[in-house]
Amino acid sequence: MASVLSLAATVHQRVADALSAALPEAGSADPLLRRSDRADFQANGMLALAKQLKGNPRELAAKVVAHLPVAATSADPDPVIADIEVSGPGFLNITIADSAITATLAARAADDRLGVPFAQAPGTTVIDYAQPNVAKEMHVGHLRSAVIGDAVVRILEFAGEQVIRRHHIGDWGTQFGMLIQYLIEHPHELDHKDASSGVEAMSNLNRLYKAARALFDSDAEFKERSRRRVVDLQAGDEETIALWRKFVDESKIYFYSVFDKLDIEIHDPDVVGESGYNDMLAETCRLLEESGVAVRSEGALCVFFDDIKGPEGNPVPLIVRKSDGGFGYAATDLSAIRDRVQHLKADTLLYVVDARQSLHFKMVFETARRIGWLNDQVHAVQLAFGTVLGKDGKPFKTRGGETVRLEDLLDEATERAAAVVREKSEKKLSLTEEDILERGAQVGVGAVKYADLSTSASRDYKFDLDQMVSLNGDTSVYLQYAYARIKSILRLAREDQRPLAHPELPLAPAERALGLHLDQFGETLREVATGYEPHKLAGYLYQLASLYTTFYDQCPVLKAEGGPSQVENRLFLCDITARTLGQGMSLLGIRTPERL
């Protein structure tokens, strides 16, 4: 499908061409075009240009205007610019022709992608996100990595990037020696027969973990047997590995059930945990030491950094291999970089990881750069995210001070949303209880996701379910309701009333504002994909829903006073707004029910 040049890009090019024609001595100067509340666009480049050319900015602006085709002075039957005026110290205030707005939207509507272009130079991105730990329940702290990561995957894939998912689950370490040894001595504790659901699977693991931990803490002999079992695990002992796999498989049943509630797809090939890099650890350490990037210090293999100091001002090293021969997290993360760059051929490594791990990843990335695994062609980025807070502004906990289980949080959100849908249904719709529960899940989970995604990833945010499921304000429910309202209007239209663009018709102020914002969808997505900033897409969609609400209030659709053509044109605006909302929400991983 063909991409559609935005009105902003078209106007920018025309002003730049006029500037070059009027002032050839200026070279390829940037007109500095932006949206404006004084007109549709404003070009501010004359000020800087006047200083460069030592001229009067208003006079320079007038020369540029003389080279611009404007509806009032041009023979162009389809002008883009309706009017342009010089204001203040040389600003160009530019108003777009109504016909150009409608015609551009019509071109977007004719394309399955709404005219959004693919990235000019797509590459391969490996994204590391949604990293739960084997044999442990997922809690609210796992929410952001999963939700943000899933949205970024969707956005990058829509842009044309080849995306490889990696779920770096915690599936290795000393605790597994304890768990495996306990299971060997108590073989009936983990019974797969009843673990058909995620809840049952994690219930089994929780019970096993608590029993193993209690014995580990109270029985010195069992503790020693557990430590020997860790050695067997690392050595690849068949019985030990078989039981370890049992833990991993049991945990996956649970992980997938929670991700299913989050409406996030996780596939087995994408799950490559810490254990997946075991065979690379020794070689990674050898390469680092032979290259001189890592050095021995008190028996440990370390990488030092001049600009990273501890509390007492001493250098803080990255420990790759401990003095006892054990491998640290850094060895695993550096091996993962090797694998992702050398075998997966990635040119971008993206890590959706808690901001509290920023120092670790800063050191890991710098180490990888020093040895050459990262360079000017291959770079790594940590998309660091903040903390989920309770209403009191403190880390989100239960009333008893426990970490909130992610499954409980999602269930409560679904229940709250179902209550809202049920109330609406009693007033306007006749939904079955099954429909109410289905929509409740879509609205509730969408509310949780949107609250997360509408906040800049680096910031903390307060988890407030009452606000999240509100029909008012910046919530996904508000956006979903706007979408459902549009679908309702389209269903109510008669057979002879169809969405059809009429560029010849003048537009009301609310129609113009809506149309200009719809035209920004592609540019917004490009910015979002480039900066890994889904909150900017959420902000765009909220503004779109708000502009549609104003349009709905001020511009009758099915009873438009301008006759059948105006009805068709307004139905067209409704239709492309719904498609844009639907596409944008889908990229955030949020569903849009057609009836609410």
Side-chain angles (χ1 to χ4, degrees):
M1 291 291 182
S3 62
V4 178
L5 199 64
S6 70
L7 289 167
T10 300
V11 172
H12 184 281
Q13 187 59 55
R14 294 199 177 191
V15 176
D17 290 345
L19 201 156
S20 296
L23 305 167
E25 64 273 26
S28 56
D30 189 343
L32 300 178
L33 189 76
R34 63 177 180 81
R35 288 299 304 273
S36 171
D37 57 2
R38 297 179 180 272
D40 294 330
F41 295 97
Q42 187 177 83
N44 301 335
M46 300 307 115
L47 296 181
L49 200 54
K51 291 181 181 179
Q52 176 188 331
L53 301 179
K54 296 181 172 55
N56 182 299
R58 285 187 63 89
E59 292 178 1
L60 295 179
K63 289 182 180 180
V64 173
V65 170
H67 284 78
L68 274 169
V70 179
T73 60
S74 171
D76 185 353
D78 297 309
V80 173
I81 300 175
D83 185 42
I84 184 167
E85 65 172 7
V86 179
S87 98
F91 298 142
L92 298 182
N93 288 337
I94 302 167
T95 301
I96 304 298
D98 289 352
S99 58
I101 295 174
T102 305
T104 300
L105 293 183
R108 293 195 178 283
D111 178 28
D112 292 339
R113 291 174 52 86
L114 295 169
V116 178
F118 288 104
Q120 291 185 345
T124 299
T125 294
V126 174
I127 178 168
D128 189 325
Y129 70 108
Q131 311 105 343
N133 294 307
V134 167
K136 292 184 180 179
E137 286 184 308
M138 292 178 68
H139 53 77
V140 69
H142 292 108
L143 177 66
R144 301 208 72 185
S145 179
V147 170
I148 295 170
D150 181 60
V152 171
V153 166
R154 292 168 183 261
I155 291 163
L156 290 179
E157 287 184 333
F158 188 74
E161 184 81 355
Q162 180 184 354
V163 180
I164 300 173
R165 301 160 175 81
R166 278 295 175 266
H167 305 295
H168 192 83
I169 64 173
D171 64 352
W172 204 249
T174 56
Q175 66 171 325
F176 290 100
M178 175 190 78
L179 288 166
I180 292 167
Q181 187 62 34
Y182 186 85
L183 188 58
I184 287 174
E185 297 176 12
H186 304 81
H188 301 297
E189 285 288 333
L190 190 59
D191 187 352
H192 271 274
K193 288 187 296 183
D194 298 325
S196 58
S197 73
V199 175
E200 293 163 341
M202 189 46 63
S203 176
N204 285 339
L205 288 172
N206 270 343
R207 184 179 66 251
L208 177 64
Y209 185 87
K210 289 177 180 178
R213 170 55 68 178
L215 189 58
F216 187 87
D217 292 339
S218 63
D219 188 331
E221 292 183 0
F222 175 74
K223 181 181 292 188
E224 180 58 31
R225 293 196 300 274
S226 297
R227 287 173 174 165
R228 289 199 300 268
R229 185 61 59 180
V230 174
V231 176
D232 293 338
L233 177 64
Q234 293 173 339
D237 174 71
E238 288 187 9
E239 180 189 23
T240 305
I241 290 294
L243 290 171
W244 167 78
R245 286 202 178 110
K246 197 171 186 180
F247 284 123
V248 173
D249 292 341
E250 197 83 4
S251 295
K252 282 183 179 179
I253 295 173
Y254 165 72
F255 294 158
Y256 294 172
S257 73
V258 177
F259 286 126
D260 186 57
K261 284 191 175 185
L262 268 172
D263 206 10
I264 293 176
E265 287 189 3
I266 300 288
H267 302 289
D268 267 347
D270 305 328
V271 180
V272 183
E274 297 168 357
S275 63
Y277 306 100
N278 284 338
D279 294 343
M280 300 178 66
L281 300 181
E283 185 180 11
T284 294
C285 291
R286 179 181 62 78
L287 293 171
L288 289 168
E289 187 170 15
E290 289 179 354
S291 65
V293 172
V295 296
R296 297 279 178 174
S297 176
E298 298 181 9
L301 185 64
C302 305
V303 182
F304 289 91
F305 310 88
D306 294 335
D307 59 338
I308 301 176
K309 309 287 185 180
E312 299 180 0
N314 298 320
V316 176
L318 181 70
I319 301 175
V320 184
R321 192 166 195 169
K322 304 171 188 176
S323 58
D324 64 1
F327 298 102
Y329 286 120
T332 301
D333 288 331
L334 287 164
S335 296
I337 288 176
R338 281 180 58 212
D339 178 67
R340 294 166 184 182
V341 172
Q342 296 172 0
H343 298 136
L344 299 181
K345 306 301 181 184
D347 40 51
T348 301
L349 306 180
L350 183 58
Y351 292 77
V352 188
V353 183
D354 193 315
R356 289 170 290 189
Q357 297 187 47
S358 293
L359 177 59
H360 169 77
F361 279 101
K362 179 181 179 182
M363 293 192 290
V364 166
F365 295 163
E366 175 58 25
T367 298
R369 276 190 287 270
R370 288 182 183 182
I371 198 170
W373 298 332
L374 298 178
N375 49 49
D376 292 341
Q377 287 73 46
V378 184
H379 67 288
V381 179
Q382 182 193 358
L383 179 48
F385 55 82
T387 303
V388 182
L389 306 175
K391 292 182 183 180
D392 58 2
K394 298 178 181 179
F396 194 28
K397 303 281 186 181
T398 65
R399 290 183 179 179
E402 299 293 325
T403 301
V404 178
R405 296 197 324 160
L406 184 51
E407 199 167 23
D408 293 343
L409 183 151
L410 297 176
D411 287 344
E412 185 177 357
T414 296
E415 290 172 10
R416 296 276 192 97
V420 173
V421 174
R422 187 176 288 107
E423 181 182 354
K424 279 284 181 184
S425 175
E426 291 172 354
K427 293 179 180 178
K428 294 185 177 181
L429 302 172
S430 298
L431 298 177
T432 66
E433 184 63 19
E434 183 180 356
D435 289 336
I436 290 172
L437 293 176
E438 180 184 358
R439 285 169 175 76
Q442 293 175 354
V443 172
V445 173
V448 171
K449 286 185 172 184
Y450 185 84
D452 193 310
L453 295 169
S454 60
T455 304
S456 173
S458 61
R459 293 177 53 196
D460 300 338
Y461 78 94
K462 292 183 180 180
F463 194 93
D464 184 347
L465 268 180
D466 292 329
Q467 175 58 31
M468 289 178 186
V469 299
S470 172
L471 282 167
N472 302 310
D474 188 5
T475 68
S476 69
V477 189
Y478 177 69
L479 272 63
Q480 288 170 321
Y481 186 69
Y483 179 86
R485 172 187 281 170
I486 298 172
K487 287 297 186 179
S488 175
I489 291 173
L490 295 173
R491 284 194 300 271
L492 289 171
R494 302 191 310 265
E495 287 187 10
D496 61 334
Q497 295 175 319
R498 53 183 179 149
L500 185 64
H502 285 274
E504 75 278 6
L505 293 179
L507 298 176
E511 291 176 298
R512 297 186 91 261
L514 178 61
L516 286 168
H517 191 69
L518 284 164
D519 187 53
Q520 290 181 293
F521 186 51
E523 292 182 343
T524 299
L525 286 180
R526 183 178 67 246
E527 182 180 358
V528 168
T530 301
Y532 312 120
E533 297 173 303
H535 72 279
K536 291 186 176 179
L537 175 56
Y540 170 88
L541 296 173
Y542 173 62
Q543 189 177 357
L544 177 59
S546 299
L547 289 168
Y548 180 80
T549 298
T550 302
F551 161 79
Y552 178 81
D553 291 340
Q554 297 180 4
C555 303
V557 178
L558 300 180
K559 297 182 180 180
E561 296 177 355
S565 293
Q566 191 174 61
V567 171
E568 291 179 338
N569 202 56
R570 288 182 175 172
L571 281 171
F572 164 73
L573 285 173
C574 288
D575 185 60
I576 193 171
T577 299
R579 288 177 59 192
T580 304
L581 273 173
Q583 180 64 77
M585 294 285 272
S586 175
L587 292 176
L588 293 179
I590 299 172
R591 296 188 184 273
T592 44
E594 297 202 0
R595 297 174 187 266
L596 274 181

